[in-house]
Amino acid sequence: FSRTFDFIKKLSGGKELRFWLALSMMDIQKAKNDLWVSMLIPTIIALVIGIVASAVFSFYITKPVKTLIEDIAVVSKGNLDHKSDVSTNDEIGLLANKFNEMTGLLKVAHEREIQQTAMEHELSIARQIQANLLPKERFESEDVKLDALYKPSKEVGGDYYDYFSIDDDHLGIVVADVSGKGVPASIIMSMYRILLRTEAIYAKNLSSRETLIRVNEILAKDMKKGMFVTTFYMILNLKDKTLMLSSAGHNPIYYYKSGEKKMYNINPAGLALGIYSGKLFRDSLKEATITLENNDSVLAYTDGVIECTDSSYNFFGEDRLKSLFFQLAEHEPKEVVNTIFEKLCQFQGDSEQHDDITLVSLRRNK
């Protein structure tokens, strides 16, 4: 097969030059085939290079990313000990290192959370135990009423109040403050409660001074250096309404005499429990007795009341407490302690409570 092309060229003088060009179809087809081959080979080579490059990219880039994703899935299921073994020198390797650091921090945080939860559980149990050590019912007789309020600054505290029957005619009343706060203070408080109740109730000790002396002889042996207990211990004779009292380094009580409309500070001398024992403590401790007349009342408290601070770090103070009690003294003891606590909260505002707060109010009705 061939193809013919006819060409005519006009020459000068009116003459024409005519020629024919014949091409073989086989040659044309061969030329086409050679052109396709020359184009196809580079294309195939480029495609092969692309596939190889993709495989290399997948191995060095995609595989580490996939491995890192699998590592994240393992950690997300809770295995915080898992570490990524991706160690490339590019951004993926840097990301893997940060991932391992993050996993380590998560493990530490998780362990702390477990410890915190366990501690909160233990503190909750300690708080329940301490609450069970406080009087369950308000004391009230025909002519004497008593009420108390306790607000720890932490989950458990070192303040302690109690009232208990020594015998049919005598009621023991105690307010105490252990140095420090939290669990150590609560343990000392529990020890003191056991010793005091044992000496007062089981030994039937009707002397406030002698009771504290005997308690201190045991407590001082087991107290850690630097720790101590201040306490105000009173024994109320329910028949003649006399109140025998001793103070071991504690704040004074306020004694309101209704007939005179006057307020008195009562605070017999005495060292705190747990610091010294023997003759030094015995000689320091004194005992006093007052007689409650109709509508006379008494307020005992811990230093967390007078040392309550406002946002400017001003103390609530003894003068403010004494003035407030003077206004409330002839009210019911429950109203006395609740009103004083409300005033404390108003004074404190948004400030943090830095110490335990305890209030005990006693009033003779007739």
Side-chain angles (χ1 to χ4, degrees):
F1 298 95
S2 62
R3 186 169 182 178
T4 303
F5 297 92
D6 186 6
F7 296 96
I8 298 175
K9 177 68 174 178
K10 293 185 179 295
L11 302 175
S12 58
K15 293 182 178 180
E16 293 181 346
L17 176 63
R18 188 171 186 174
F19 58 92
W20 290 266
L21 178 63
L23 296 175
S24 171
M25 290 300 294
M26 293 181 64
D27 292 339
I28 294 174
Q29 188 62 41
K30 183 176 181 302
K32 286 181 179 182
N33 292 338
D34 292 343
L35 180 61
W36 277 107
V37 169
S38 64
M39 293 176 63
L40 184 60
I41 291 176
T43 300
I44 292 173
I45 293 174
L47 183 59
V48 171
I49 293 173
I51 293 172
V52 173
S54 297
V56 173
F57 179 82
S58 176
F59 181 79
Y60 287 103
I61 303 297
T62 306
K63 185 177 180 180
V65 171
K66 183 179 179 182
T67 301
L68 189 56
I69 292 174
E70 292 173 351
D71 293 332
I72 293 173
V74 172
V75 171
S76 67
K77 293 178 180 179
N79 185 2
L80 298 180
D81 292 319
H82 180 77
K83 297 291 183 181
S84 176
D85 58 1
V86 174
S87 58
T88 58
N89 295 323
D90 55 10
E91 288 80 359
I92 303 300
L94 178 62
L95 184 61
N97 289 334
K98 294 298 181 183
F99 170 79
N100 289 335
E101 291 178 10
M102 180 194 71
T103 303
L105 292 174
L106 283 174
K107 182 179 179 181
V108 172
H110 182 62
E111 290 174 349
R112 289 179 178 174
E113 183 181 6
I114 293 175
Q115 294 174 356
Q116 181 68 23
T117 301
M119 183 177 297
E120 289 176 355
H121 178 66
E122 292 174 358
L123 286 175
S124 176
I125 294 175
R127 183 168 57 248
Q128 294 173 17
I129 293 173
Q130 187 174 40
N132 289 333
L133 297 179
L134 299 176
K136 300 295 186 299
E137 299 179 356
R138 185 182 304 115
F139 175 83
E140 185 173 340
S141 66
E142 291 183 1
D143 46 11
V144 175
K145 288 186 178 180
L146 186 150
D147 212 315
L149 183 146
Y150 171 59
K151 180 67 166 60
S153 62
K154 297 183 178 296
E155 289 82 358
V156 291
D159 275 13
Y160 164 57
Y161 78 89
D162 203 356
Y163 40 86
F164 44 82
S165 295
I166 300 174
D167 57 29
D168 293 340
D169 297 327
H170 295 87
L171 180 73
I173 306 167
V174 59
V175 176
D177 186 1
V178 181
S179 60
K181 294 179 285 294
V183 174
S186 71
I187 294 173
I188 298 298
M189 181 273 283
S190 300
M191 290 173 56
Y192 174 57
R193 177 184 184 273
I194 293 171
L195 293 172
L196 181 67
R197 278 180 163 250
T198 300
E199 181 61 30
I201 299 173
Y202 297 101
K204 301 298 181 184
N205 196 326
L206 296 179
S207 167
S208 59
R209 177 176 178 271
E210 287 300 320
T211 299
L212 293 184
I213 289 173
R214 292 179 182 275
V215 168
N216 184 67
E217 287 300 314
I218 300 174
L219 191 65
K221 297 176 182 178
D222 297 324
M223 289 284 281
K224 181 181 177 182
K225 187 177 181 180
M227 295 195 74
F228 56 87
V229 180
T230 68
T231 187
F232 209 109
Y233 179 50
M234 300 170 276
I235 299 177
L236 175 64
N237 187 317
L238 297 172
K239 284 187 174 182
D240 60 20
K241 307 304 183 292
T242 56
L243 191 64
M244 182 187 299
L245 39 88
S246 295
S247 173
H250 200 74
N251 305 97
I253 64 166
Y254 297 146
Y255 170 41
Y256 173 78
K257 287 188 69 68
S258 178
E260 299 177 6
K261 304 299 180 186
K262 288 185 178 180
M263 188 88 72
Y264 297 91
N265 285 13
I266 308 294
N267 197 18
L271 295 173
L273 302 170
I275 301 177
Y276 301 105
S277 60
K279 188 175 185 300
L280 181 60
F281 180 82
R282 175 181 288 273
D283 291 347
S284 75
L285 196 65
K286 306 302 178 183
E287 189 174 70
T289 301
I290 60 176
T291 300
L292 299 178
E293 304 293 343
N294 293 344
N295 291 322
D296 285 0
S297 58
V298 169
L299 178 71
Y301 59 93
T302 56
D303 57 11
V305 177
I306 58 176
E307 293 178 2
C308 174
T309 58
D310 61 12
S311 57
S312 299
Y313 299 100
N314 298 309
F315 288 124
F316 190 80
E318 290 188 27
D319 291 341
R320 188 179 278 107
L321 177 62
K322 192 172 181 179
S323 175
L324 183 56
F325 179 58
F326 184 80
Q327 301 170 32
L328 299 167
E330 295 191 18
H331 293 218
E332 294 293 317
K334 181 178 181 180
E335 183 179 350
V336 172
V337 296
N338 287 341
T339 302
I340 292 176
F341 184 69
E342 288 174 5
K343 295 297 182 181
L344 283 173
C345 292
Q346 293 172 12
F347 178 82
Q348 180 178 306
D350 295 330
S351 301
E352 181 183 358
Q353 180 183 335
H354 297 288
D355 201 358
D356 305 329
I357 291 173
T358 301
L359 293 159
V360 175
S361 178
L362 172 70
R363 177 173 174 265
R364 178 178 178 179
N365 297 327
K366 60 181 180 178

